[in-house]
Amino acid sequence: MNNMRYFRQALAMMREEKLFSGIYIVGTALAIAFTMVMAVVYYIKLAPVYPEANRARTIYFEGLRIEAENEGMGQTGFSTKAFEEWFQNSENIEYCSPTLLAAGTGKTEGRCHSFVVRGKDDFLEVVRNEVSADFFRIYEYDFLSGRPFTNKEVEDKEEVCVISDALAERLFGKGVDAVGRMVELENGGDNLRVVGVIRGCSQLTPDSYADVLMPYTQFEFYSGSPYSGTYSVVATVKDDAHLQALKQELDDVAARIEQAHPEALNNFSFGEGVKKKLVLTRHMETHPMHVLRTENRDGTFDMVTNWQLVKHYASILFVLLFVPALNLCGVVAGRMERRRAEMAVRKTFGARRSTLLNQVVIENLVLTTIGGIIGLVLSWLAIYGLRAEILGMFFDNSTLSSAPIVEGEMLFAPLLFIGAFAAIMVLSLLAAVVPAWWSLRKPIVESMMEKR
């Protein structure tokens, strides 16, 4: 009952103190808007979104590493031989697939392997990836027609592919079933038969984004070493026990290769007679580690509980939420100074400090909620309307189109609403409790005399 009365008083106060209410609401809206933009960005990067629903169980292997005693190290991608011998038959891996490294970078971030195909009127430059059949189990694409290619088609090196719905429309026209049709290549190579059409995903999920997915066995690459190539590996594991067992298994594989096939380490230019060590698990990463490492190329995060990971997100939260809260604290403190006599009179007539504090908190919660809703809407409008500019600051801008796809689940996820509500509550409590408690703890006589 009292809370409803405080709510009505808060609305009346907004009409009477328009300047204070306006400043408070605008300050809250901006703080929540900036916080929610960051929340959406990291939700896209870390949460299970289409088609990367298995991120919690996904492991990334960026490549093999050769460390030379006192002469530094060298790193390269995996070859198809390395993938098939070291990963494909592992009992600790649920599903695994090779996946192309970004051209010339040795990174999976921002895949830029272009592929030119013949469209209806001219040639189109599209993004391709070379994968195994397990790729469609790791990433849960929605097939609009057809099916994924099979293990047998991969083993037989058949010229098949899976394409996105956007590419199917550009190649064959709207409403035309692309399954069974041929994708013509510009370079005169063997054309690819379409076996499936998927609902395209966003460029904001770069590990799964591609216009054309084809079997990795269609192309051969030789770098001078049987294990060095152009692929990284993505895999899923069932649980942490399998993850730890896989790490030990790959360490044992590396030691065995060093002993049985030392010539496999000779494609790096180290001094004569230098002792070399093969490392396969240096960049064996869970999804959060994978995201953070691609953001910070200078740091290596060996475990997800690394203190640098905590500081990374804590600093963002502090700047976007707590700094504005300090500013709002100052605004509330000024208002509490003007209300000290009012509070002193109410305490004289028996009002408890907790009752008065509760009233101030509810009044500020009303203002914060209004500002929070405005900020939430502003964040959605900003991300959608300025998505190329805003998202380009957090993703590989070289691979984003002028209007990258932002799926509804990326903006309206329940977790984001819970996060927004929590941010509103935290901001309201931080801004209201400290100045109100500080003002209410002063003696009644002192508060009334200061007013005079």
Side-chain angles (χ1 to χ4, degrees):
M1 187 67 180
N2 286 337
N3 289 343
M4 284 301 300
R5 185 171 71 250
Y6 295 154
F7 176 75
R8 289 192 293 270
Q9 288 175 352
L11 296 179
M13 180 269 295
M14 287 177 56
R15 291 190 292 270
E16 294 172 4
E17 301 184 17
K18 295 180 181 179
L19 179 61
F20 166 79
S21 301
I23 293 174
Y24 194 99
I25 289 172
V26 170
T28 301
L30 292 177
I32 294 297
F34 285 124
T35 302
M36 287 307 300
V37 166
M38 292 299 298
V40 169
V41 166
Y42 281 96
Y43 183 85
I44 294 171
K45 289 190 173 204
L46 298 171
V49 298
Y50 174 82
E52 301 179 10
N54 296 314
R55 283 176 168 177
R57 298 186 294 114
T58 303
I59 308 298
Y60 303 85
F61 301 87
E62 291 298 307
L64 60 88
R65 176 172 175 149
I66 297 178
E67 298 176 352
E69 192 174 45
N70 301 323
E71 291 203 19
M73 51 75 66
Q75 186 166 325
T76 184
F78 298 108
S79 67
T80 57
K81 178 181 176 68
F83 165 73
E84 291 166 358
E85 290 187 6
W86 301 344
F87 297 96
Q88 196 168 44
N89 298 315
S90 171
E91 294 181 356
N92 295 303
I93 290 177
E94 184 180 25
Y95 303 114
C96 65
S97 173
T99 180
L100 281 175
L101 291 166
T105 66
K107 308 168 187 175
T108 51
E109 180 192 24
R111 300 186 185 284
C112 55
H113 282 273
S114 61
F115 202 56
V116 180
V117 299
R118 186 185 295 276
K120 291 183 294 184
D121 302 315
D122 54 5
F123 289 102
L124 306 175
E125 186 173 1
V126 299
V127 176
R128 84 176 195 274
N129 202 354
E130 300 166 17
V131 300
S132 72
D134 275 0
F135 193 79
F136 301 100
R137 297 183 177 93
I138 298 170
Y139 299 118
E140 299 180 355
Y141 295 97
D142 293 336
F143 275 81
L144 304 181
S145 62
R147 56 170 177 80
F149 45 76
T150 64
N151 286 320
K152 187 176 187 308
E153 288 171 327
V154 174
E155 293 168 3
D156 293 344
K157 303 182 181 180
E158 292 192 24
E159 286 90 15
V160 295
C161 69
V162 170
I163 64 175
S164 68
D165 54 345
L167 180 59
E169 182 174 331
R170 293 172 67 190
L171 292 178
F172 309 114
K174 188 173 183 179
V176 177
D177 188 3
V179 174
R181 293 176 175 266
M182 303 301 290
V183 176
E184 299 181 36
L185 309 185
E186 179 198 36
N187 58 13
D190 293 330
N191 296 329
L192 305 175
R193 177 170 53 88
V194 178
V195 296
V197 177
I198 57 173
R199 176 167 69 89
C201 58
S202 172
Q203 294 168 325
L204 304 177
T205 54
D207 293 302
S208 56
Y209 174 78
D211 298 305
V212 180
L213 295 164
M214 64 187 68
Y216 71 95
T217 52
Q218 290 183 8
F219 295 92
E220 297 291 339
F221 174 84
Y222 183 70
S223 65
S225 168
Y227 298 114
S228 176
T230 59
Y231 297 100
S232 62
V233 173
V234 61
T236 56
V237 293
K238 291 182 178 179
D239 51 40
D240 188 63
H242 284 87
L243 176 62
Q244 299 306 318
L246 177 60
K247 186 177 187 305
Q248 183 60 54
E249 177 187 346
L250 292 176
D251 287 339
D252 293 342
V253 166
R256 187 169 65 250
I257 294 296
E258 288 177 30
Q259 296 296 322
H261 302 286
E263 71 281 358
L265 312 183
N266 290 337
N267 63 322
F268 288 91
S269 300
F270 296 119
E272 192 70 27
V274 173
K275 184 179 179 180
K276 303 167 190 172
K277 181 181 180 181
L278 176 63
V279 181
L280 301 179
T281 57
R282 177 64 173 174
H283 290 312
M284 173 181 173
E285 303 165 334
T286 60
H287 187 76
M289 295 163 60
H290 176 66
V291 168
L292 194 57
R293 188 180 61 79
T294 54
E295 288 185 353
N296 183 359
R297 290 294 177 183
D298 297 326
T300 300
F301 299 89
D302 296 317
M303 50 192 301
V304 76
T305 57
N306 191 295
W307 176 237
Q308 294 186 59
L309 178 62
V310 176
K311 291 194 294 184
H312 179 80
Y313 295 111
S315 60
I316 293 174
L317 183 64
F318 178 80
V319 171
L320 293 179
L321 197 59
F322 290 95
V323 171
L326 293 176
N327 293 330
L328 293 177
C329 271
V331 175
V332 175
R335 180 168 176 269
M336 287 303 300
E337 287 297 313
R338 298 193 299 272
R339 297 183 66 185
R340 280 175 60 182
E342 171 198 339
M343 297 299 178
V345 171
R346 292 186 60 186
K347 284 197 288 184
T348 301
F349 283 93
R352 293 184 299 177
R353 185 183 300 174
S354 60
T355 301
L356 299 176
L357 182 62
N358 185 46
Q359 177 183 347
V360 174
V361 169
I362 291 177
E363 288 175 355
N364 281 273
L365 182 59
V366 171
L367 294 175
T368 307
T369 301
I370 294 172
I373 293 172
I374 294 173
L376 191 61
V377 173
L378 284 176
S379 69
W380 289 337
L381 293 176
I383 290 175
Y384 189 78
L386 301 172
R387 53 192 180 276
E389 292 79 7
I390 292 177
L391 297 174
M393 295 187 292
F394 301 98
F395 294 85
D396 185 0
N397 195 37
S398 65
T399 63
L400 292 183
S401 65
S402 58
I405 297 173
V406 179
E407 301 279 355
E409 65 172 324
M410 297 176 178
L411 294 179
F412 305 110
L415 185 60
L416 289 177
F417 283 102
I418 294 172
F421 179 75
I424 290 170
M425 291 297 295
V426 170
L427 194 60
S428 178
L429 292 174
L430 287 175
V433 171
V434 175
W437 177 83
W438 182 262
S439 178
L440 292 172
R441 66 188 292 271
K442 292 186 177 181
I444 295 175
V445 175
E446 180 181 338
S447 296
M448 298 187 70
M449 291 299 292
E450 284 191 9
K451 178 65 177 176
R452 292 179 61 189

